[in-house]
Amino acid sequence: MSRLIWTAVPCARNITAATMADALAESGRGLAIAAAVCDELSVERRRGNLWRLVRRVGPRSM
């Protein structure tokens, strides 16, 4: 049995609008990289954030 523990302030960002940070920036790349490599990216906001990142794997088509 798993239990979810909500420990963060709800995310107020639009995750579908994430863009890559400037080359000299020290942070701000996480969502843009996740959106680039995942097939699905979502966040459920309740008393915190529940992130869902999905990457489908299988045979590559050539």
Side-chain angles (χ1 to χ4, degrees):
M1 180 176 163
S2 63
R3 188 178 92 175
L4 297 176
I5 299 172
W6 305 95
T7 60
V9 175
C11 177
R13 293 189 63 145
N14 177 357
I15 62 172
T16 60
T19 57
M20 190 60 72
D22 182 81
L24 298 177
E26 294 183 7
S27 64
R29 293 178 182 84
L31 285 177
I33 292 171
V37 300
C38 291
D39 295 307
E40 296 176 33
L41 175 62
S42 65
V43 62
E44 183 179 323
R45 299 168 184 98
R46 292 187 183 176
R47 296 171 293 179
N49 305 302
L50 178 61
W51 295 90
R52 183 170 186 256
L53 291 80
V54 177
R55 172 78 177 168
R56 292 183 190 86
V57 294
R60 293 182 181 186
S61 58
M62 295 185 155

